[in-house]
Amino acid sequence: MEYRHSKITNLKKCISNNTVQVLLGAILWVFAVWYVIHDSGGLAGYDAYFHVKMSEIIRDQRSIIKEFPWATCSIWADSYHDKDLLFHISLIPFLYFGKVTGAKFATLLLVFITAIVLALMLSSAGLRNNYFLTLSFILFSGGAIFPGRLVLCRPHLLSLIFLMISLFCVFRNYRLLLMITAYFYTLGY
């Protein structure tokens, strides 16, 4: 019992360290993405429209899509499965803001969560200070490639979150949480 209590105490310490820097870093990520997408009349990339439409169909039909007649010349022609189901379901609440605006809000929220989870993972890997500088460096050091991927409303944002939670679980030896994360990872990406 004491071993379990110490894991919970360590998790609380990990989450509470440098909270202000983590939040500022996450807000910086959101602002950088918002700056790129706020004035555009549409969504970045082509896939975002597919994901928004799939979410809309799931919402309107109130069920999971089992047939995909538009993919007659693909591997999904005979047996369709929605490999991004969790992402499509997570977009549904944002559709009430409108398709494009909702997708942009969803993207900003996923970017915020990605930055927070990245800081948590870095903390579990041993980083103890300078979260704001580290998050800023990660955001801007890759040129246009990494920030360019952050502006896309696609399931890879959810994948980044699950990947980093998985790494956190591995670093901390949280096997049950790793198993749960792996289950949801397969539904989301």
Side-chain angles (χ1 to χ4, degrees):
M1 190 67 152
E2 184 177 316
Y3 176 71
R4 187 175 185 192
H5 178 69
S6 68
K7 279 188 169 185
I8 292 171
T9 305
N10 288 340
L11 180 62
K12 286 180 182 177
K13 286 179 185 177
C14 179
I15 292 172
S16 65
N17 288 342
N18 299 309
T19 304
V20 172
Q21 286 191 39
V22 170
L23 288 175
L24 287 175
I27 290 168
L28 174 69
W29 280 37
V30 168
F31 179 74
V33 171
W34 173 82
Y35 183 76
V36 173
I37 68 174
H38 82 284
D39 266 344
S40 68
L43 300 171
Y46 302 109
D47 288 353
Y49 293 100
F50 163 77
H51 294 296
V52 169
K53 188 62 177 177
M54 289 297 285
S55 299
E56 186 180 40
I57 292 171
I58 292 170
R59 180 195 66 189
D60 294 344
Q61 291 183 356
R62 297 182 189 266
S63 68
I64 297 170
I65 298 170
K66 295 187 171 114
E67 294 179 4
F68 196 71
W70 305 278
T72 56
C73 296
S74 77
I75 59 172
W76 289 334
D78 297 326
S79 62
Y80 174 74
H81 69 280
D82 190 353
K83 69 177 189 65
D84 304 318
L85 178 65
L86 187 61
F87 179 71
H88 293 152
I89 291 171
S90 69
L91 283 180
I92 291 173
F94 296 97
L95 293 178
Y96 294 104
F97 297 107
K99 294 176 190 176
V100 173
T101 304
K104 288 179 181 183
F105 282 148
T107 302
L108 294 174
L109 179 63
L110 286 171
V111 166
F112 183 78
I113 293 170
T114 300
I116 299 269
V117 172
L118 175 61
L120 179 67
M121 194 265 311
L122 290 172
S123 173
S124 69
L127 181 69
R128 297 289 178 240
N129 296 313
N130 301 320
Y131 288 102
F132 179 75
L133 291 174
T134 304
L135 288 172
S136 302
F137 179 76
I138 290 170
L139 177 63
F140 296 116
S141 67
I145 295 170
F146 184 64
R149 298 288 291 168
L150 289 178
V151 302
L152 300 173
C153 182
R154 295 190 54 211
H156 69 280
L157 294 173
L158 199 56
S159 174
L160 280 172
I161 293 167
F162 283 130
L163 172 67
M164 289 182 287
I165 292 173
S166 298
L167 288 172
F168 173 80
C169 293
V170 168
F171 290 146
R172 295 292 182 163
N173 200 23
Y174 295 150
R175 293 180 182 157
L176 179 61
L177 184 58
L178 179 61
M179 183 179 71
I180 293 167
T181 304
Y183 173 75
F184 285 106
Y185 198 157
T186 60
L187 293 175
Y189 189 69

